[in-house]
């Protein structure tokens, strides 16, 4: 099992940047594909970004591609989401998620494939 705790959310003006962190418990963090999802008010949760077990492969939703960067530090059991050029429509609760996979290069964009979730961190972008 793995427990996930997000941090780094807050209020930022449009065009600004934030870096989210997700710290994982346990000694097998490198066994997990990690993902970031977000849920805006009144909307369903949606995929934002994912990174493979070794960080060598990533995938992004079209809405964040070129602005967000997912990365991980397996020595620190932490995955990050660097968010630049933020827009008001990026306002949401951001969740990190984990799923164990065998292959090092696998990435997972499907929400239903993840079985561990953090509690979420609020990001608010003002116009």
């Amino acid at each position: 099992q793995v427990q996930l705790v997000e941090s780094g959310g807050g209020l930022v003006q449009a065009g600004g940047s934030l870096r989210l962190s997700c710290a994982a418990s346990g000694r097998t963090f490198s066994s997990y594909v990690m993902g970031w999802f977000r849920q805006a008010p009144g909307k369903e949760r949606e995929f934002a970004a994912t990174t493979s077990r070794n960080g060598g492969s990533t995938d992004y939703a079209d809405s964040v591609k070129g602005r967000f960067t997912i990365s991980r530090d397996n020595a620190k059991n932490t995955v990050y989401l660097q968010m630049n050029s933020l827009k008001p429509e990026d306002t949401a609760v951001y969740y990190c998620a984990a799923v164990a996979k065998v292959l090092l290069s696998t990435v997972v964009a499907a929400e239903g494939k993840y079985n561990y979730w953090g509690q979420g961190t609020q990001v608010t972008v003002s116009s």
Side-chain angles (χ1 to χ4, degrees):
Q1 286 208 350
V2 61
Q3 292 183 325
L4 306 172
V5 179
E6 301 97 333
S7 62
L11 174 64
V12 64
Q13 288 188 333
S17 299
L18 280 175
R19 188 177 82 155
L20 306 182
S21 299
C22 173
S25 65
R27 295 175 289 179
T28 59
F29 179 69
S30 61
S31 299
Y32 293 88
V33 172
M34 300 300 296
W36 283 97
F37 292 77
R38 64 185 186 180
Q39 186 168 21
K43 295 187 176 181
E44 294 186 352
R45 190 158 56 186
E46 64 176 11
F47 165 73
T50 178
T51 181
S52 60
R53 288 176 51 194
N54 62 3
S57 299
T58 57
D59 191 20
Y60 298 91
D62 287 343
S63 58
V64 308
K65 200 170 294 184
R67 300 187 298 122
F68 290 11
T69 302
I70 188 171
S71 62
R72 66 189 296 162
D73 186 338
N74 284 347
K76 296 182 177 179
N77 284 11
T78 303
V79 62
Y80 305 96
L81 187 67
Q82 177 67 44
M83 304 185 296
N84 298 329
S85 302
L86 283 162
K87 306 174 181 179
E89 52 264 43
D90 294 318
T91 294
V93 177
Y94 283 72
Y95 299 90
C96 71
V99 58
K101 289 293 181 184
V102 173
L103 296 178
L104 288 175
S105 60
T106 299
V107 291
V108 178
E111 178 180 352
K113 298 289 187 181
Y114 286 88
N115 45 15
Y116 298 104
W117 292 85
Q119 83 290 348
T121 185
Q122 176 70 48
V123 171
T124 303
V125 184
S126 63
S127 57

